[in-house]
Amino acid sequence: ADPKLGIVYDAGGKFDKSFNQSAFEGASRFKKETNINFIEVQASSDTQAEQVLRGLARKNLDLIASIGFAQQAAVQKVAKEFPKVRFVLIDGVAQGPNIESITFKEEEGSYLAGVAAAMASKSKKIGFIGGVDIPLIRTFSCGYAQGAKAVNGKIDVTANMVGTSAQAWNDPAKGGELARSQFDRGVDVVFAVAGGSGLGTLQTAKEKGKLAIGVDSNQNGLYPGTILTSMVKHVDMAVYDAFMQMKNGTWKAGVYSKGLKEGGVDWALDENNRKLITPEIEKRVMGARKDIIDGKVKVIDIRSGAACPV
Amino acid sequence: MMNKDLPRWATAFVMPVLNLLSALLVTALVIHLLGESPTESLAILVNSAVVNPEGLSYTLFYASTFIFTGLAVSIAMQAGLFNIGAEGQMYFAGLGLTLAMLTFDASLPAWLLIPVGMLGAALFGALWAFVPGYLQAKRGSHVVVTTIMFNYIAAALMNTIIVKLVPPGEQNPASRAFAAAAEMPRLNQWFPILGETPLNISFFLAIIALVIYGVVVSRSAWGFKLRATGLNKHAAHYAGVRISKMIIIVMLISGALAGLGSVNSIMGSTHYLSLNFVGGAGFIGIAIALMGRQNPVGIFLSAVLFGALTQGGFDLSLEKQNIPPETVIMVQGLIILFCGAMENLYGPAIAKVLNLKKRG
Amino acid sequence: MTFDDLHIGSILVSTVRNAPVLIFAGMAGLFAERSGVIDIGLEGKILASAFVSAAVAFATQNPWYGVMAGMLVSVLLATLQAYIAITQKGNQLVGGIAINIAMSGLTFVVAQYFFQQGGRTPDLGSARLFDVVLPGSAAIEGVPFVGWLYAHLIGGHSVLVYLAFALVPLVHWVIYHSRFGLRLRACGENPHAADAAGISVERQRYMAMLIAGVLCSFSGAYMSIVQSGFFLRDMSAGAGYLALTAMVFGNWRPLYTFLGCLMFGFFGAVQIQIEGVELPLVGRLPGSMIQMVPYVLTVIVLAGLMAKSVAPKALGTPFVKSR
Amino acid sequence: MQPAVEFRGISKHFGAVKANTDVSFAIAKGSIHGLVGENGAGKSTLMSILYGYYRADGGEILLDGQARRIHNSQEAIALGIGMVHQHFMLVENMTVLDNVMLGSEGGFKLNKNRARVEQELRDICTRYRLDVDPLATIHDLSVGAQQRVEILKQIYRSASILILDEPTAVLTAQETESLFEILRLFKDQGKTIILITHKLQEILDITDTVTVMRAGRVIGAVPTAGTTKEDLANMMVGRPIENNLPRKPYNPGAPVLEVDNLQLLDDQGVKLLADIGFTLRAGEIVAVAGVSGNGQSELMEILSGMRLPTSGKLQFEGKPLPFAGRSNPDGLPRVFRELGIAHVPEDRLRDGVVKAFSVMHNTILGYQDKLKNRWGLLDFKAIAARCADLMKNFDVRPNNHDLRIGLLSGGNQQKVVIAREVLAQPKVMLVGQPTRGVDIGTIESIHTQLLKLRDEGVAILLVSVELEEVRALADRILVMCGGRITGELEIEEFDTTRIGLLMGGMHKS
Ligand SMILES: Nc1ncnc2c1ncn2[C@@H]1O[C@H](COP(=O)(O)OP(=O)(O)OP(=O)(O)O)[C@@H](O)[C@H]1O
Ligand SMILES: Nc1ncnc2c1ncn2[C@@H]1O[C@H](COP(=O)(O)OP(=O)(O)OP(=O)(O)O)[C@@H](O)[C@H]1O
Ligand SMILES: [Mg+2]
Ligand SMILES: [Mg+2]
């Protein structure tokens, strides 16, 4: 029989232009290919996460995908109560024989974005705009800076955060304003990691004729010609794979950290940004990519407690 | 004024019911437009929020927090102060509670941990309300403005601090989880029918707080002075009330009450401090205080209503894929609109009907 | 940190660009509150008009239709508020907050229903309102200071920006030097006196609310069809409350309210600039700490000024003929 | 000749209250018509109907013989009706000029007309000898001046029918006299005037005819010439009013309150009180007479602890009053009250009562801390009983302690305040304007209470602008002007002209 599948988004909701949306896309692709449906719910608070996971588990679902670190504690708890139900936790780590935890090495993908930005920048000033100052976002920002400095030690990286509350992910005006301010200071490439607010950044870059870098999904197509590349984080693949494995009976519990090597993160090169990526840039980025995969370059992950080296 | 002519049963029962029905009618229309059946949706909502014991338990869990924030806003309102800052006060109080727990959860027994946690929360909540209160009393800075500012400041400050509390290697911007001893006893220990739900003794604390509030405000000399201050500052001064002290004390109490709301959210449910854990409960407190007329029974009923909407609406969006969770927010707004702002909508009509009867 | 690091020019331009949202809403609140009606529902009106403006601008591919539709909706909401406050004599705070909450939900639901993009409207693309480039900007651009002043500080904004700034003296004039303003102030201060002088307090307040509705709609339209180029759920992000704050800060006077709006815009711009910069004494502050700069400064300014604000006396009380 | 105004069978009820029942009478053109009656007799209601505030339940109003339906004040104004309300209808933070222009601005642009109207106002002021600065802001003006602004408004609008609802309640004798001068001028111009007042002497002084109302009905309408104060009082209250209330012979006890060299400066350093010195003894009533706004209010506020003096020596029973070391008066009224200083504030609605509280709650205002038990709780059963007693003894009407006090008439509110303070068994009683706006029956009962208190040995300081009242109550009289005491006389020396001179600032020689 077809597996019974569920997906639980966190407070951002499935259209957050970030990992929730990416998860939704992965699940949708699975549905399209297999015609197997899935239940989807949004948990607006940590309390609700527990409630909804338990609710779905009671329905004897086979696999529940929990999107976002906010559900970590809930997954940990509910998985223990329902050993027969399997859980996929995205962006967080929980232990158990029925849990698959998937985290991403955002620092590696961001490193590539940093390399590309440093190469493309004429002013040698690049920018970063994050949603909220939390470890995840700092990981992006630090990886980005590492990549850029690897190209040019003197490059200047300006970082701004949109805000401090949940609203910070939905404030495109502020996202745009931060971009303007960075452009005024000479920045000519900006990396936006701020959900809906980041859309304001991309938009402003287009308006001002500067370059921007998208995040999470491939955003190159939003403003072809001004989006240098996107740092894609394959939450979609993770969800798709988990669903597929469930269907094929190959699903396994465990803790996985997916970087460039595992195909968890990458940079995006397609017809939309083909013209922007010169052969030199492409060569340099692909080189860095290979070095990381081969282990020749180690990108520091600040979440491990290390300070950002740059 | 017309209501004075209406019998009590009409104003206390018929009108609120009509108002609630109006709000539901508008909601039904929206749900219909969204392509779902309004009656089915209502059934799901009611079933999930009150009929089902587990749902009811969640309803009361949310209501417990709302009672505290509603009380916080209400008591300030009694003194004529519009405390918009319950959100920030509850948020900051979460820090006080968490610091207390992180320090003591390994060393103190459970029966001591809970009061210590409550104290930490109340202290920090009060502290966050103190500055606006002090500035209002001594400098005349408008408390509405300062409390709004303090909400923003709390958000920024808490973001800075919570990030520092994240255990290494963790993604989630949250503190470590507390020891089991620091968990509020859950009611399902005694009433297994409630299921695995976070409803805990905070609910009783909230009820006790309501009772104390009711008695203090309407029966005590201090409450008398409090209300006099809110209604007529000149007369209160004449009556010997120290107005600035009163303002500061009321804001401290208000902040402490908002702070106690975090005990339910954190010690009662998540057991760790996380970013944005308040999630608007402070703002809902404003709606509850206004709708409940700062009256203990009114506050209780409004808090339960909002708890029910939070719980029922959540299940509704779960079952009805076409109804996004945000629909509940709209319903909340509509209920406040009809039951709170336009409460007299049907007064004249009812009066007319009654008059006709009398004559006919 | 040097003076140059502060990028004064960038701060000023950013201030000018950010202020209109607050100015429109602040002036809207001013009309409402000067007439005696508390307008805590600015937020909801901004959000609703932001959504409708964007949706209609997208559907018709004409920003001006968007602006007009946003105005219509904002006025409808203002009328509802007026009906509650004036005709029903209900609680004005409750009414306003109800509208805010309802709109936060409704805009999402409707946006989702029509566009299926998670409460977002599609990109407006060319249906946005674009910035006005003053004639000769390109020529003068190179001239130091003057070029910047002309092309970037004065020029280079959307029409709505100019409208916002032009509004301030206009509102000042209307409030203090016109018959309408005199009656408005009288209604907010002592409606019984106005009534005795043969003025219909109810009509005056309704008119004030309608004007508030119109002005507030520009705030929303600016947000979605100028600043962002699309609508996003809850994108008003507290602007309505901030505008109200600026108005209280400005003691319900147009010019001071305007200064309050500029102050928020300015502090916000400063905050952007000092993020990640080594500051004297404190060094490099974390981004989240920097975020609180505008709000802390506001509190300090407020406490320091001893701003004993004097609200219109009848604010918030429904007018009932007997005393 | 056609009467200017004629009421025919006007009735009006508010809920169960019949404010007006079948009221009919006529007012001749070019006459001054008096309207008297107890508090709550329905006078203001009737006038409000004429001015379009309320719609009558039945009956009709004829103006110059023509039946008119007046729906709102706009229509009333258009018909040439002007009204000076019982409570000033002025916007406090606006100038006199703006207040006058309000409602008849003469165009959208104010500035165009401001200069013209200002000039016109100055002309009016000269012509009618009204002392008002058109550019002054209302809240800076004394009550007398505010009253003149109300008159100014009506002159500017050239109302042909002028209603004045208790215009003299807050005026001094001189101010009243100059108001009457103007009314006479109006009459000569052919205007019709309706005057409501509780002061029967004024009726005799100025009106041509007078209508008496009681409980919403017309009791009688007579030409003034054929009537006396006694007749009117009898008609109003239904019993004769005693003018000379019994009192024990003057026999003051020990000094209770000694004031020496009291000074008060305001924030700008302007002297509000200077060199105030006097002694108040047990069992005497000392009246402070003077035009209002000459420091009496400030004096009362200081003595009751509501305000701090700048300097001076204040002794209560030989010990200094506890002002020392205080930077603000927060909580001080409570300390004074505990010492035994009771206070009936001059502005009862602002300071004396909380309008939204019930009568019962208001009877403990200021004494809430004395009545609480050791848990800090108030025993409302006992308080209700206490209140019922009090309402009976002081004849507060209606006798319902759950009623919001704001719904009581001014006179009855005043009775509650006085009763509350009397019940505290004070040693000193500060009383400000105790009978402002109160009908003669109530005045009689309030005066009786105060005299009884004096006879029991309480020291009473009375501030009043009514010389009639001062004469009726005082043992000694202090006259204040410009923040100083300009004269002091025994009651035997009472002489209106001399007091008038002292009130005008003529120092004792
Ligand atoms: N707005 C109102 N609502 C309900 N009852 C009212 C209202 N206004 C007046 N009344 C009632 O009408 C009666 C007459 O009141 P009115 O104000 O006309 O008296 P008055 O003769 O002017 O008294 P006073 O001498 O105290 O001014 C009162 O007894 C009162 O109960
Ligand atoms: N809103 C109201 N509802 C019920 N009764 C009212 C209301 N307003 C006034 N009244 C009644 O009207 C009567 C007279 O009112 P009015 O305002 O004329 O009082 P007053 O004695 O003249 O007081 P003041 O000292 O303020 O002049 C009172 O008996 C009072 O109970
Ligand atoms: Mg009257
Ligand atoms: Mg009166």
Side-chain angles (χ1 to χ4, degrees):
Chain A
D2 287 344
K4 291 203 275 178
L5 305 168
I7 181 163
V8 181
Y9 307 108
D10 80 357
K14 72 172 169 183
F15 296 106
D16 67 346
K17 295 272 159 196
S18 184
F19 50 78
N20 286 303
Q21 187 160 354
S22 189
F24 167 63
E25 282 159 9
S28 305
R29 184 149 62 88
F30 171 81
K31 180 175 162 187
K32 217 159 116 202
E33 289 175 12
T34 62
N35 255 327
I36 299 176
N37 215 338
F38 58 91
I39 302 178
E40 46 181 357
V41 206
Q42 175 183 338
S44 305
S45 68
D46 295 10
T47 305
Q48 273 186 359
E50 191 181 319
Q51 183 185 2
V52 70
L53 286 178
R54 189 172 289 117
L56 292 182
R58 282 206 193 119
K59 292 189 177 168
N60 289 319
L61 261 64
D62 294 298
L63 179 75
I64 302 171
S66 291
I67 314 301
F69 48 66
Q71 300 189 42
Q72 181 174 312
V75 168
Q76 186 72 70
K77 188 161 178 202
V78 177
K80 212 172 275 165
E81 293 170 23
F82 296 87
K84 288 211 196 101
V85 180
R86 273 145 287 204
F87 294 84
V88 179
L89 174 62
I90 300 289
D91 264 359
V93 178
Q95 310 283 350
N98 55 340
I99 306 174
E100 178 188 14
S101 306
I102 300 173
T103 56
F104 295 86
K105 294 180 179 161
E106 288 91 354
E107 69 278 8
E108 294 185 355
S110 303
Y111 185 95
L112 300 189
V115 171
M119 297 283 294
S121 170
K122 298 201 177 64
S123 62
K124 296 302 158 207
K125 284 182 180 167
I126 62 173
F128 177 89
I129 291 173
V132 177
D133 191 1
I134 53 174
L136 176 64
I137 299 301
R138 282 200 209 161
T139 307
F140 278 92
S141 138
C142 178
Y144 179 66
Q146 289 177 65
K149 300 272 181 183
V151 172
N152 177 350
K154 288 210 205 65
I155 203 149
D156 196 54
V157 186
T158 309
N160 283 108
M161 296 292 170
V162 175
T164 53
S165 62
Q167 279 172 348
W169 305 105
N170 284 320
D171 194 345
K174 182 90 186 278
E177 200 49 49
L178 291 170
R180 278 167 201 269
S181 145
Q182 294 194 351
F183 296 151
D184 282 347
R185 283 189 272 172
V187 166
D188 58 357
V189 186
V190 62
F191 182 22
V193 189
S197 308
L199 295 177
T201 306
L202 303 185
Q203 162 103 257
T204 304
K206 177 192 174 229
E207 231 172 86
K208 295 272 147 185
K210 311 281 179 184
L211 293 173
I213 300 175
V215 78
D216 286 338
S217 55
N218 183 349
Q219 296 183 314
N220 293 359
L222 279 179
Y223 302 105
T226 55
I227 301 196
L228 180 64
T229 179
S230 296
M231 193 301 250
V232 280
K233 172 173 162 183
H234 283 301
V235 176
D236 52 344
M237 303 272 259
V239 172
Y240 176 87
D241 287 348
F243 282 8
M244 216 36 135
Q245 289 160 359
M246 192 64 228
K247 176 175 181 282
N248 302 334
T250 53
W251 185 87
K252 270 211 311 278
V255 176
Y256 304 94
S257 177
K258 298 191 168 191
L260 285 172
K261 192 167 156 192
E262 299 81 8
V265 296
D266 212 336
W267 74 312
L269 181 60
D270 58 15
E271 72 283 358
N272 290 315
N273 65 339
R274 188 64 264 183
K275 283 206 197 93
L276 296 170
I277 303 292
T278 60
E280 298 88 71
I281 300 182
E282 185 174 355
K283 202 170 138 226
R284 189 76 186 251
V285 173
M286 291 312 277
R289 187 169 183 273
K290 185 161 183 303
D291 287 346
I292 296 172
I293 291 175
D294 293 347
K296 271 192 231 152
V297 168
K298 186 101 195 73
V299 188
I300 304 275
D301 174 7
I302 58 127
R303 282 171 297 198
S304 60
C308 191
V310 291
Chain B
M1 217 186 278
M2 294 157 186
N3 297 337
K4 271 185 214 137
D5 306 341
L6 289 179
R8 241 186 100 82
W9 58 263
T11 52
F13 181 71
V14 176
M15 279 171 49
V17 168
L18 282 179
N19 288 323
L20 197 60
L21 285 179
S22 311
L24 292 180
L25 203 69
V26 179
T27 310
L29 192 72
V30 174
I31 288 182
H32 177 74
L33 289 178
L34 290 176
E36 294 281 3
S37 150
T39 45
E40 261 176 51
S41 304
L42 183 68
I44 293 174
L45 200 115
V46 171
N47 182 53
S48 131
V50 287
V51 178
N52 170 343
E54 194 171 318
L56 178 66
S57 174
Y58 267 106
T59 294
L60 297 181
F61 166 74
Y62 293 121
S64 310
T65 304
F66 296 158
I67 288 174
F68 278 113
T69 52
L71 278 175
V73 179
S74 294
I75 197 154
M77 231 167 235
Q78 294 280 7
L81 299 166
F82 195 18
N83 177 13
I84 303 195
E87 184 84 6
Q89 287 144 18
M90 179 169 158
Y91 201 1
F92 194 65
L95 179 65
L97 182 157
T98 302
L99 291 181
M101 288 306 106
L102 294 182
T103 318
F104 296 117
D105 69 346
S107 52
L108 290 184
W111 61 270
L112 255 179
L113 268 178
I114 291 170
V116 165
M118 287 171 61
L119 194 71
L123 269 180
F124 273 56
L127 181 68
W128 208 244
F130 170 75
V131 185
Y134 179 86
L135 291 177
Q136 169 79 66
K138 304 284 180 182
R139 308 287 304 166
S141 324
H142 214 292
V143 79
V144 169
V145 178
T146 45
T147 50
I148 291 181
M149 294 297 113
F150 266 67
N151 282 340
Y152 289 114
I153 298 175
L157 189 67
M158 290 298 285
N159 188 344
T160 313
I161 296 171
I162 291 176
V163 167
K164 295 220 156 52
L165 294 177
V166 178
E170 285 289 339
Q171 284 264 52
N172 196 7
S175 76
R176 74 162 166 81
F178 310 151
E183 295 178 6
M184 294 295 265
R186 294 193 169 185
L187 299 194
N188 55 17
Q189 296 173 16
W190 302 291
F191 308 101
I193 189 174
L194 297 179
E196 245 332 287
T197 59
L199 181 64
N200 58 79
I201 55 166
S202 297
F203 178 65
F204 296 128
L205 296 178
I207 302 285
I208 294 173
L210 274 172
V211 173
I212 296 180
Y213 166 88
V215 170
V216 166
V217 167
S218 57
R219 301 257 134 202
S220 78
W222 185 80
F224 180 85
K225 292 192 278 190
L226 171 76
R227 284 183 295 146
T229 308
L231 292 168
N232 181 349
K233 289 222 162 41
H234 296 283
H237 175 57
Y238 161 84
V241 179
R242 294 170 66 177
I243 308 275
S244 21
K245 189 174 141 200
M246 180 60 91
I247 289 176
I248 294 175
I249 290 182
V250 165
M251 282 305 284
L252 286 173
I253 296 176
S254 174
L257 281 168
L260 287 176
S262 70
V263 175
N264 185 46
S265 302
I266 298 181
M267 288 175 76
S269 171
T270 57
H271 311 303
Y272 54 78
L273 173 69
S274 57
L275 216 54
N276 305 320
F277 79 88
V278 181
F283 292 117
I284 291 184
I286 298 175
I288 285 171
L290 289 170
M291 255 183 75
R293 301 287 144 84
Q294 300 106 57
N295 163 300
V297 178
I299 296 171
F300 178 79
L301 292 178
S302 320
V304 171
L305 181 63
F306 275 76
L309 280 174
T310 312
Q311 162 59 17
F314 171 64
D315 270 0
L316 181 60
S317 70
L318 204 150
E319 307 243 339
K320 298 273 174 192
Q321 296 286 330
N322 280 340
I323 302 180
E326 283 74 9
T327 316
V328 180
I329 302 179
M330 181 197 75
V331 180
Q332 286 178 346
L334 287 174
I335 289 185
I336 301 174
L337 189 69
F338 282 101
C339 302
M342 300 205 285
E343 43 168 4
N344 291 335
L345 193 58
Y346 297 106
I350 294 179
K352 215 177 255 171
V353 171
L354 288 179
N355 278 343
L356 278 183
K357 259 196 204 149
K358 235 183 262 168
R359 276 184 216 139
Chain C
M1 189 182 68
T2 69
F3 183 72
D4 247 17
D5 284 342
L6 268 178
H7 299 273
I8 297 292
S10 169
I11 290 182
L12 291 183
V13 175
S14 165
T15 305
V16 168
R17 209 172 32 235
N18 282 336
V21 170
L22 297 183
I23 297 177
F24 286 124
M27 295 298 143
L30 203 75
F31 273 99
E33 303 221 337
R34 269 308 181 102
S35 82
V37 180
I38 299 182
D39 195 354
I40 207 162
L42 290 173
E43 182 82 7
K45 282 181 283 187
I46 296 177
L47 196 62
S49 56
F51 167 65
V52 173
S53 299
V56 171
F58 174 78
T60 61
Q61 284 297 310
N62 182 336
W64 293 110
Y65 289 149
V67 172
M68 271 159 17
M71 196 182 293
L72 188 73
V73 167
S74 176
V75 164
L76 277 178
L77 286 176
T79 312
L80 173 63
Q81 256 184 304
Y83 174 73
I84 293 169
I86 304 162
T87 308
Q88 284 278 311
K89 306 192 194 309
N91 186 317
Q92 303 171 2
L93 288 170
V94 185
I97 286 189
I99 285 177
N100 292 348
I101 296 180
M103 286 308 122
S104 164
L106 189 64
T107 49
F108 178 93
V109 172
V110 178
Q112 174 62 9
Y113 181 70
F114 281 115
F115 302 108
Q116 295 291 330
Q117 297 198 7
R120 183 176 175 255
T121 64
D123 244 346
L124 293 182
S126 59
R128 268 177 86 188
L129 270 182
F130 282 102
D131 294 350
V132 174
V133 177
L134 292 184
S137 286
I140 203 172
E141 179 101 59
V143 185
F145 187 71
V146 177
W148 166 80
L149 187 73
Y150 182 74
H152 294 291
L153 188 64
I154 300 176
H157 301 289
S158 149
V159 224
L160 287 183
V161 176
Y162 300 105
L163 179 62
F165 280 79
L167 203 58
V168 178
L170 184 69
V171 170
H172 175 87
W173 185 85
V174 168
I175 298 255
Y176 291 109
H177 300 289
S178 77
R179 174 173 64 192
F180 181 82
L182 182 72
R183 295 180 168 193
L184 185 82
R185 284 181 287 137
C187 287
E189 207 63 39
N190 186 350
H192 296 280
D195 188 42
I199 292 162
S200 164
V201 176
E202 305 208 340
R203 226 189 68 185
Q204 194 72 28
R205 288 188 173 173
Y206 262 102
M207 291 210 291
M209 287 308 291
L210 293 190
I211 294 178
V214 171
L215 292 183
C216 208
S217 74
F218 291 122
S219 202
Y222 183 76
M223 209 173 248
S224 64
I225 57 183
V226 177
Q227 279 191 304
S228 311
F230 53 85
F231 170 84
L232 196 64
R233 59 185 296 196
D234 288 326
M235 74 186 301
S236 50
Y241 291 102
L242 222 51
L244 213 61
T245 307
M247 185 194 66
V248 176
F249 179 86
N251 249 328
W252 287 267
R253 287 179 291 188
L255 295 181
Y256 290 88
T257 300
F258 169 66
L259 286 182
C261 297
L262 284 188
M263 179 185 76
F264 280 126
F266 180 77
F267 288 163
V270 169
Q271 168 238 316
I272 293 174
Q273 295 291 343
I274 59 178
E275 190 165 348
V277 174
E278 290 284 338
L279 295 176
L281 295 180
V282 285
R284 210 166 170 158
L285 289 177
S288 46
M289 288 288 273
I290 298 279
Q291 297 286 345
M292 66 171 84
V293 167
Y295 310 116
V296 172
L297 286 180
T298 305
V299 172
I300 293 175
V301 170
L302 207 59
L305 281 182
M306 180 89 199
K308 266 235 188 310
S309 23
V310 269
K313 271 216 194 72
L315 187 58
T317 36
F319 173 63
V320 185
K321 270 204 176 171
S322 78
R323 62 195 166 90
Chain D
M1 203 176 75
Q2 286 283 10
V5 184
E6 187 176 354
F7 297 98
R8 279 198 192 155
I10 298 286
S11 296
K12 173 78 188 167
H13 73 95
F14 296 104
V17 181
K18 290 204 165 65
N20 288 155
T21 312
D22 196 17
V23 173
S24 305
F25 65 95
I27 300 162
K29 205 180 190 74
S31 73
I32 301 183
H33 188 94
L35 189 56
V36 296
E38 284 182 296
N39 291 125
K43 309 176 294 288
S44 299
T45 304
L46 186 65
M47 291 305 115
S48 298
I49 291 169
L50 177 54
Y51 196 60
Y53 265 9
Y54 297 141
R55 197 85 68 80
D57 302 334
E60 57 179 357
I61 295 178
L62 287 79
L63 299 182
D64 291 327
Q66 250 185 308
R68 297 279 187 184
R69 296 225 137 250
I70 305 168
H71 298 100
N72 51 42
S73 44
Q74 255 160 306
E75 293 182 15
I77 292 169
L79 288 167
I81 304 175
M83 180 154 175
V84 174
H85 294 79
Q86 194 167 345
H87 304 270
F88 296 149
M89 292 296 184
L90 297 170
V91 184
E92 294 238 316
N93 63 354
M94 288 188 189
T95 60
V96 172
L97 178 62
D98 282 354
N99 267 286
V100 173
M101 287 179 74
L102 186 65
S104 51
E105 298 85 352
F108 190 74
K109 295 183 191 163
L110 285 184
N111 284 6
K112 234 171 56 187
N113 299 309
R114 266 189 177 131
R116 182 179 54 77
V117 178
E118 187 190 333
Q119 192 48 51
E120 211 169 309
L121 292 187
R122 290 193 193 283
D123 291 349
I124 294 174
C125 287
T126 344
R127 192 151 15 108
Y128 288 87
R129 278 184 281 142
L130 279 169
D131 174 24
V132 184
D133 173 9
L135 298 184
T137 307
I138 300 294
H139 57 56
D140 294 335
L141 298 180
S142 67
V143 272
Q146 293 187 9
Q147 178 69 269
R148 292 196 287 276
V149 177
E150 289 283 13
I151 301 289
L152 190 59
K153 269 200 319 208
Q154 303 311 329
I155 304 177
Y156 174 75
R157 295 188 171 185
S158 51
S160 59
I161 299 169
L162 184 59
I163 309 164
L164 299 121
D165 195 348
E166 295 185 44
T168 60
V170 289
L171 299 187
T172 58
Q174 282 86 343
E175 285 170 332
T176 302
E177 194 39 50
S178 44
L179 172 68
F180 285 180
E181 282 300 318
I182 295 170
L183 295 188
R184 288 189 190 103
L185 261 174
F186 281 176
K187 183 179 158 182
D188 295 344
Q189 294 169 359
K191 297 183 193 231
T192 309
I193 293 157
I194 307 174
L195 175 71
I196 300 179
T197 178
H198 288 295
K199 301 173 190 171
L200 300 180
Q201 186 58 46
E202 293 174 1
I203 296 289
L204 299 184
D205 286 349
I206 188 165
T207 62
D208 303 308
T209 45
V210 53
T211 296
V212 183
M213 290 181 69
R214 193 199 307 163
R217 292 174 183 277
V218 174
I219 294 295
V222 292
T224 312
T227 187
T228 63
K229 264 202 239 183
E230 286 67 30
D231 291 346
L232 287 175
N234 219 336
M235 275 203 269
M236 271 171 67
V237 208
R239 64 181 163 87
I241 289 288
E242 186 57 62
N243 270 328
N244 290 310
L245 296 169
R247 66 199 296 169
K248 286 192 192 150
Y250 183 44
N251 181 18
V256 191
L257 193 61
E258 291 158 275
V259 178
D260 193 23
N261 198 20
L262 178 69
Q263 318 281 342
L264 178 69
L265 306 179
D266 72 3
D267 297 339
Q268 277 83 322
V270 177
K271 268 192 186 167
L272 297 178
L273 292 176
D275 312 327
I276 303 284
F278 64 90
T279 301
L280 185 64
R281 295 162 191 281
E284 70 170 351
I285 297 182
V286 174
V288 179
V291 179
S292 57
N294 277 281
Q296 303 98 310
S297 313
E298 288 80 4
L299 177 64
M300 294 292 266
E301 282 177 1
I302 289 173
L303 294 178
S304 63
M306 291 179 69
R307 190 165 182 165
L308 293 181
T310 308
S311 68
K313 199 168 146 211
L314 291 115
Q315 304 243 67
F316 177 77
E317 294 187 320
K319 286 191 225 65
L321 277 171
F323 285 111
R326 278 186 175 262
S327 61
N328 65 49
D330 252 11
L332 203 56
R334 175 177 164 180
V335 179
F336 281 28
R337 201 168 274 127
E338 277 164 9
L339 286 173
I341 302 178
H343 179 201
V344 177
E346 154 176 38
D347 190 337
R348 62 176 166 262
L349 280 182
R350 196 191 65 172
D351 299 325
V353 300
V354 177
K355 262 207 283 189
F357 274 176
S358 68
V359 172
M360 175 179 79
H361 280 81
N362 272 291
T363 58
I364 63 167
L365 189 72
Y367 302 95
Q368 63 281 344
D369 290 305
K370 264 174 108 174
L371 295 166
K372 67 184 176 195
N373 67 15
R374 68 198 160 107
W375 299 103
L377 299 182
L378 296 166
D379 178 356
F380 279 107
K381 229 182 237 157
I383 290 169
R386 174 180 177 272
C387 175
D389 263 8
L390 170 157
M391 288 178 83
K392 213 175 94 214
N393 292 343
F394 287 78
D395 188 26
V396 177
R397 278 178 286 183
N399 191 353
N400 173 0
H401 62 242
D402 284 330
L403 216 58
R404 274 196 294 126
I405 203 166
L407 297 180
L408 255 51
S409 73
N412 282 299
Q413 288 169 356
Q414 187 69 330
K415 286 190 220 165
V416 173
V417 175
I418 291 180
R420 174 181 75 206
E421 300 303 312
V422 168
L423 221 62
Q425 297 178 314
K427 294 172 182 146
V428 171
M429 180 85 145
L430 309 168
V431 190
Q433 312 288 9
T435 58
R436 177 175 283 175
V438 169
D439 69 46
I440 46 171
T442 311
I443 292 178
E444 185 192 33
S445 94
I446 289 174
H447 283 182
T448 311
Q449 287 296 340
L450 291 176
L451 287 172
K452 191 166 146 239
L453 218 54
R454 160 197 181 266
D455 293 347
E456 286 164 4
V458 177
I460 297 179
L461 188 68
L462 167 79
V463 165
S464 178
V465 295
E466 297 298 336
L467 289 187
E468 268 312 299
E469 178 161 73
V470 169
R471 189 216 287 271
L473 294 178
D475 298 305
R476 287 190 298 133
I477 301 162
L478 302 173
V479 185
M480 279 184 77
C481 178
R484 293 170 186 276
I485 293 182
T486 50
E488 184 173 345
L489 7 106
E490 301 293 317
I491 191 67
E492 294 78 34
E493 308 169 78
F494 190 95
D495 168 3
T496 319
T497 346
R498 184 157 161 231
I499 295 178
L501 284 175
L502 289 169
M503 280 165 59
M506 306 291 287
H507 267 267
K508 47 191 163 184
S509 39

